[in-house]
Amino acid sequence: MAVGTTSAGIAYAQGFQDAQRIGRDAMVRAVATIAGAVSCPVSADIEAGYGPSAADVAVTVDAVLDAGVVGINLEDNTHAGTSTPLFDIDEQCSRISAAREAAERRNVKLVINARTDTFLIGVGSDVEERLRQTVERGSRYLRAGADLVFVPLLVDLALVKRLSEELQGRISLMALPGAPSIRELFAAGAARVSIGQLAMLATLGSLKRIAEEMKQQGTWRSIEETFYGFAEAEALFARPAAVSRSLTRS
């Protein structure tokens, strides 16, 4: 078992939008707090590395390794709002290699979950072109040092199976409302499934219902539906912080 952080969840909790608006330092502080509070391994979502260059990625990886993580998500989305939303394949491979080299210098077997946003932003003229580009990028990312290829928004079981077969490497997926079950996704070829920002969005939805009920009816049924006891909450924080273990030892 491992904990994976969510960039959107952490950003929202601190008043920022997603997509690197929070900045490296604030994200690393939040990741360090999480890593120091749990006894299981932690993988950090470092978005696109908080800078375009391979050197930027290396600085970020060093920072999160200092924070105690043993895995990262690294995106190929530039977040630049331009006509070229994804990093060039060669450029992204250099960034992945820099992450791997930064970890190896410190003798850390870092798990690199290399995210490609081909499906998320709808690359290509149709799904066949999208799948082809995903295979091309994913294959290169694995050769550059990634352990898994992460493809957000891909949950169609037939396409997951095709990608798994054509990529010949481990793929990582993100659950969505209405997506197949985790067992079905694993059976189709996924090696890892995360929930991304879904828990945060579900929490926001709960808060919205609570606020609307209080304002419109002056009642508390929405709170009662998901109420978590004060004593139980306090018990979650009763033990001293523990150091995260390596994913390779879990």
Side-chain angles (χ1 to χ4, degrees), residues 18 70 126 129 143 227 230:
D18 194 19
V70 291
D126 56 28
E129 172 66 11
R143 291 199 296 271
F227 187 72
F230 179 76

Side-chain angles (χ1 to χ4, degrees), residues 63-236:
V64 294
L65 289 176
D66 286 340
V69 311
V70 291
I72 60 167
N73 289 354
L74 179 63
E75 305 170 7
D76 60 7
N77 194 320
T78 64
H79 299 299
T82 66
S83 58
T84 54
L86 300 184
F87 284 103
D88 173 80
I89 295 180
D90 290 337
E91 189 175 10
Q92 183 64 6
C93 286
S94 295
R95 287 156 42 82
I96 292 169
S97 295
R100 175 61 63 207
E101 290 164 7
E104 287 179 346
R105 283 195 297 271
R106 301 175 59 153
N107 199 31
V108 176
K109 293 181 179 179
L110 184 71
V111 175
I112 300 177
N113 195 35
R115 173 174 144 177
T116 181
D117 282 0
T118 47
F119 274 79
L120 188 64
I121 66 172
V123 166
S125 58
D126 56 28
V127 71
E128 291 298 322
E129 172 66 11
R130 201 162 301 137
L131 185 65
R132 186 192 67 76
Q133 292 203 35
T134 304
V135 171
E136 181 182 3
R137 283 181 172 269
S139 299
R140 291 283 307 279
Y141 295 172
L142 291 169
R143 291 199 296 271
D147 296 285
L148 304 99
V149 177
F150 181 26
V151 191
L153 215 63
L154 174 62
V155 291
D156 179 279
L157 293 176
L159 290 176
V160 171
K161 185 173 182 182
R162 284 183 59 189
L163 178 61
S164 176
E165 292 170 348
E166 295 180 28
L167 184 63
Q168 296 185 337
R170 294 191 295 169
I171 61 174
S172 177
L173 304 175
M174 186 174 73
L176 299 169
S181 71
I182 194 167
R183 289 186 179 182
E184 291 173 299
L185 292 171
F186 280 151
R192 176 182 185 267
V193 179
S194 60
I195 61 170
Q197 72 270 43
L198 293 187
M200 168 59 85
L201 295 178
T203 300
L204 291 175
S206 224
L207 289 171
K208 181 175 183 287
R209 286 196 302 274
I210 289 169
E212 287 175 343
E213 182 189 352
M214 288 173 62
K215 181 179 179 180
Q216 296 168 10
Q217 302 174 39
T219 56
W220 332 105
R221 290 189 182 88
S222 297
I223 291 177
E224 293 165 359
E225 288 174 3
T226 57
F227 187 72
Y228 196 78
F230 179 76
E232 289 82 357
E234 287 289 294
L236 294 175

